[in-house]
Amino acid sequence: MLRLGGRGLLRGLAVAAAAVMVARLMGWWGPRAGFRLFVPEELARYRGGPGDPGLYLALLGRVYDVSSGRRHYEPGAHYSGFAGRDASRAFVTGDYSEAGLVDDVSDLSFSEMLTLHTWLSFYEKNYVFVGRVIGRFYRADGLPTPELMQVEAMISKGLEANKQELKEKQKFPPCNAEWSSTRGSRFWCSQESGGVSRDWIGVPRKLYKPGAKEPHCVCVRTTGPPSDHMPDSAPHRNRGDLDHPSLEEYTGCPPLAITCSFPL
């Protein structure tokens, strides 16, 4: 299991993962030989019913043969509404009505775009890519439309934000927390708190983030150089990240205590 003694390794893995994802996106949406182009009316024939030529669905304009998952998509199945069309929006909203089973994702948020990215990864891994749908996401020559490029840009930004969030979480793992109507609140740190395995424990501090209404409790390393300390910087004070300007001590809690309790 990785521990934070390898902070540089964890950061490197996050950067590499984001780069791989972006490369995947470009591979998914860029030129690819041997694929078929569908118009929506043609794709609509592929619903998996008697006499239909196959069982296909589309996501962000990419068409997949989902015959191997027939029990999920065939007529009468729970996800039958996805067959024979691009219903990208419904992958996020869960609206399986005719009005919801559409390909318009123009007003989705970054996090919702990342949900679509997760679904795209699922279909790439589990089903066979067979072509592209001419329309909202692909032109008649099979190349991406400006709308698809906007989707790609939002997914890339979302992946970058996730990378930064992971980096921040490794630096300031969330505290363990509990509340009791009889004992009040308690925050504490451990080598696994916040789901972050590391070789230090840390002490609870309030972390203030720009735009956040309230601070949240994080575990802060108390020894060694600051996380952003450069090798050629001035000598550090061996206080870890305790002097970070966005941190604040909990009133009434000893500065180096690993547990802070606040009775009612």
Side-chain angles (χ1 to χ4, degrees):
M1 182 176 290
L2 291 175
R3 294 192 175 273
L4 205 61
R7 288 200 305 274
L9 174 59
L10 286 168
R11 292 172 184 166
L13 288 173
V15 172
V20 168
M21 285 293 97
V22 172
R24 269 178 155 180
L25 294 178
M26 297 305 295
W28 289 342
W29 295 334
R32 179 186 277 191
F35 63 84
R36 179 178 172 185
L37 291 175
F38 295 82
V39 294
E41 295 77 12
E42 181 184 12
L43 181 60
R45 298 173 52 224
Y46 288 78
R47 296 187 183 274
D52 288 352
L55 181 55
Y56 295 173
L57 65 72
L59 175 58
L60 294 177
R62 296 178 57 78
V63 182
Y64 297 92
D65 183 340
V66 294
S67 300
S68 61
R70 174 172 293 277
R71 64 190 180 91
H72 301 296
Y73 304 103
E74 66 184 352
H78 186 66
Y79 299 113
S80 60
F82 288 91
R85 70 174 94 196
D86 188 328
S88 295
R89 186 178 188 84
F91 280 93
V92 173
T93 65
D95 181 355
Y96 299 161
S97 68
E98 284 299 310
L101 290 164
V102 295
D103 62 356
D104 183 6
V105 298
S106 58
D107 61 344
L108 297 186
S109 66
F110 283 106
S111 62
E112 289 170 328
M113 288 294 187
L114 287 181
T115 298
L116 283 180
H117 172 261
T118 300
W119 277 112
L120 197 62
S121 298
F122 170 80
Y123 284 101
E124 284 286 322
K125 179 180 178 181
N126 294 284
Y127 296 103
V128 178
F129 166 77
V130 293
R132 296 171 178 173
V133 185
I134 297 170
R136 186 181 296 275
F137 300 115
Y138 287 102
R139 306 182 324 203
D141 60 4
L143 292 178
T145 63
E147 187 157 348
L148 182 57
M149 291 185 215
Q150 178 65 26
V151 170
E152 177 186 355
M154 288 189 69
I155 290 177
S156 295
K157 287 180 180 178
L159 290 169
E160 176 64 23
N162 276 2
K163 183 190 75 173
Q164 293 301 322
E165 184 178 343
L166 174 62
K167 181 179 178 182
E168 180 77 6
K169 189 175 181 180
Q170 299 294 339
K171 180 178 179 180
F172 294 131
C175 302
N176 297 309
E178 67 177 8
W179 180 85
S180 165
S181 60
T182 57
R183 294 191 299 271
S185 301
R186 182 169 77 102
F187 301 113
W188 75 99
C189 296
S190 67
Q191 288 185 316
E192 301 285 340
S193 56
V196 179
S197 298
R198 54 195 187 273
D199 57 7
W200 53 274
I201 296 176
V203 296
R205 288 291 188 273
K206 297 178 185 177
L207 175 65
Y208 291 85
K209 289 187 174 183
K213 293 182 179 180
E214 299 289 340
H216 66 278
C217 183
V218 297
C219 296
V220 180
R221 193 164 45 83
T222 60
T223 59
S227 295
D228 57 359
H229 184 80
M230 303 299 291
D232 56 351
S233 300
H236 61 83
R237 301 170 58 195
N238 195 34
R239 285 175 49 83
D241 291 308
L242 287 175
D243 298 318
H244 193 282
S246 297
L247 297 173
E248 180 181 306
E249 294 181 12
Y250 279 96
T251 302
C253 184
L256 294 181
I258 64 173
T259 299
C260 295
S261 298
F262 304 98
L264 295 175

